Amino acid sequence: MNQPINNPAFYYPAVFGQQPQPYPGQPAQAMPVQTVPVQTAHVQIAHVQPAGYPPYPQPNYYQPAAYYPAYAQGQAAPGFAITPPKDPRKTGGARVVNWMCLLVLIQIVISFLVGTVLVAATLALGFNIQTDELGMALYTVAMSPVGLLPPFLCYMLAGKKDWNQYFRFENKGGFTSLLVVLAGLGVSLAVNFPANALMQLLKNLGAADPTENLLNLPQSFPAFWVELMGIAVMVPVVEEFAFRGVVFSSLERFGTGFAVFGSALIFGMAHLNISSVVFATVAGLVMGLAYAKTRNLWVTVAIHALNNGMAVVSEYAELLVGPDQMLLLQNLLMFIPLGLGLVALALLLILRLTKGSRERRKALAAQQGASQQTEYAVGQETPPLWRQEEWCPAKTQEEPPLSPLGAGESLGCLAHAPSFWCMVAAVGIMLISMFL
């Protein structure tokens, strides 16, 4: 009959089916010869599966790596429930939109404060700048760099941004760039029709056009040249630096479509006047697409400058050619660029289709060539691991880029930016003031 072993110092824990073994240095004769009962061995080797025996029963439970419970509609999750992690694309996109809208709001505040101080100072000196054509032209031209440059320059300098990444001037070919400029100008001018129709509808409802007083001022050639050089040259450079350079490039990390749409909407609402908001938003879409295609900021500056220049010439048409030829000049400035823009759009579409078919043929030829010729023939020894590219320690894998945001996700990013709603409120206040 087996006796229990009372002194475990003389043996190692028994393994199933084996005799107990002495510790190192222990005399062999001091070890008992008894065998360990199966029950004792089974307890000592819990969760060890010996060969040739049926498996031990496993506990009737499991612990998943991650589990997010689904709750019925309208049912709130308990306080201890695990919430899924936030999407970095959505949170990052909303954060950047919030920053860009905040910069525009700062620009609006700066322009309002500087304008108020300037008007008050001129009134104190006995001169009303709002009734003088030249003074009002200088005031209008000066507000763009005074308001826009400080916040966006501070954003670039304080954030230590890479200027080459934000402002690109790639050469895509003179002919392609010319077509993009003409097409963008034609589409931008076409937007004047719905914008003017909206303004006329608001007037019929009792709204006052805030720019009507400016159009009734007496015109002069000095004021014309000031507006032409300022609004058609300086303003496009400053605004493209801000909206296509800083805003577009900041949003592009989350997708080109998101950058085009977001920068256009911010650019449109920065104009505050509802008819200008409609026109500038569509024009911002056009210039954003032009910048995405050419990666040349001078292309968007050219579209912006030509559009503003034609608007200034059309405004001073009576001064330039007289009242008899004024309507003819305005029609020529509208319909000739529209026709050229349609032709340019058709040519760009043809070039895109031919380029796409050519690229597909090249890809198919490359795929067929790769299937016929392999780097290592059958039976040839593959290179050692240390010679393969993926095992080379000198090369490191870059962090994969974020997947672009979809249309619904882009709208969600805009909706989660508080500064965006502040801009919407500013446009609404401007609209309400037109009826007061």
Side-chain angles (χ1 to χ4, degrees):
M1 185 177 69
N2 293 333
Q3 299 293 331
I5 299 174
N6 297 323
N7 190 2
F10 292 100
Y11 65 95
Y12 285 124
V15 181
F16 191 90
Q18 295 184 6
Q19 295 290 339
Q21 301 295 327
Y23 282 97
Q26 184 69 28
Q29 61 274 14
M31 183 188 69
V33 189
Q34 290 89 348
T35 59
V36 180
V38 175
Q39 295 85 344
T40 307
H42 177 73
V43 172
Q44 293 177 359
I45 60 169
H47 302 292
V48 177
Q49 177 65 46
Y53 286 84
Y56 297 119
Q58 298 297 325
N60 190 17
Y61 71 92
Y62 70 97
Q63 182 178 359
Y67 173 63
Y68 303 111
Y71 299 96
Q73 185 175 4
Q75 179 183 359
F80 58 85
I82 302 175
T83 57
K86 294 182 179 180
D87 191 346
R89 302 174 305 133
K90 298 178 182 178
T91 56
R95 182 173 60 252
V96 176
V97 168
N98 191 62
W99 270 107
M100 296 301 106
C101 294
L102 183 61
L103 294 178
V104 176
L105 289 173
I106 294 174
Q107 172 257 326
I108 294 174
V109 173
I110 292 176
S111 300
F112 176 77
L113 294 178
V114 172
T116 303
V117 172
L118 183 60
V119 171
T122 54
L123 288 175
L125 296 175
F127 173 72
N128 189 359
I129 195 175
Q130 296 179 331
T131 59
D132 183 77
E133 175 71 13
L134 180 59
M136 202 63 196
L138 291 172
Y139 170 80
T140 304
V141 170
M143 283 300 101
S144 178
V146 169
L148 272 178
L149 286 181
F152 285 94
L153 280 177
C154 291
Y155 176 80
M156 293 294 297
L157 296 176
K160 298 180 180 179
K161 305 296 182 179
D162 185 5
W163 293 75
N164 295 324
Q165 180 182 359
Y166 279 73
F167 307 101
R168 301 181 184 180
F169 303 94
E170 299 180 6
N171 186 8
K172 295 293 184 179
F175 182 67
T176 302
S177 300
L178 177 62
L179 291 179
V180 172
V181 170
L182 291 177
L185 178 62
V187 175
S188 299
L189 291 176
V191 187
N192 281 291
F193 294 104
N196 293 335
L198 177 60
M199 193 67 243
Q200 187 62 42
L201 175 62
L202 293 176
K203 286 183 179 179
N204 296 336
L205 295 176
D209 188 356
T211 62
E212 189 173 0
N213 295 331
L214 301 178
L215 298 176
N216 295 330
L217 293 176
Q219 297 180 347
S220 62
F221 278 102
F224 166 73
W225 289 112
V226 168
E227 288 199 23
L228 186 65
M229 297 305 297
I231 296 178
V233 178
M234 185 183 65
V235 171
V237 173
V238 173
E239 291 189 350
E240 292 307 307
F241 159 81
F243 293 100
R244 249 59 63 185
V246 178
V247 177
F248 181 95
S249 301
S250 299
L251 299 177
E252 195 178 14
R253 180 172 178 264
F254 307 97
T256 303
F258 178 61
V260 171
F261 177 73
S263 61
L265 194 57
I266 296 173
F267 175 66
M269 289 193 299
H271 288 74
L272 295 181
N273 187 11
I274 187 62
S275 61
S276 299
V277 167
V278 173
F279 172 81
T281 300
V282 180
L285 287 172
V286 171
M287 289 183 283
L289 290 172
Y291 185 59
K293 178 176 177 58
T294 62
R295 298 296 174 180
N296 191 338
L297 200 60
W298 291 124
V299 171
T300 62
V301 170
I303 298 174
H304 203 153
L306 288 173
N307 178 80
N308 289 9
M310 290 180 180
V312 172
V313 173
S314 179
E315 179 185 349
Y316 286 86
E318 184 177 359
L319 176 67
L320 297 175
V321 297
D324 297 333
Q325 304 295 328
M326 176 184 67
L327 186 60
L328 175 62
L329 178 60
Q330 291 176 344
N331 290 331
L332 291 176
L333 291 174
M334 175 62 69
F335 293 105
I336 289 180
L338 278 177
L340 294 176
L342 291 176
V343 174
L345 275 176
L347 291 176
L348 286 174
L349 181 60
I350 294 173
L351 290 176
R352 182 178 179 84
L353 293 176
T354 55
K355 181 181 178 181
S357 61
R358 185 167 58 251
E359 289 179 352
R360 285 193 296 269
R361 289 195 299 268
K362 288 182 179 179
L364 182 60
Q367 184 179 2
Q368 292 176 352
S371 61
Q372 295 175 359
Q373 298 179 357
T374 57
E375 186 178 359
Y376 295 96
V378 178
Q380 185 178 354
E381 184 181 359
T382 57
L385 292 178
W386 62 270
R387 293 186 60 185
Q388 296 181 11
E389 249 186 353
E390 58 270 18
W391 289 88
C392 181
K395 292 188 176 182
T396 57
Q397 296 182 354
E398 296 181 356
E399 183 181 355
L402 297 174
S403 58
L405 293 170
E409 294 172 330
S410 301
L411 293 175
C413 291
L414 293 171
H416 284 82
S419 298
F420 173 78
W421 293 109
C422 292
M423 292 188 64
V424 174
V427 175
I429 293 173
M430 187 67 181
L431 178 61
I432 294 173
S433 66
M434 296 170 60
F435 291 91
L436 299 179

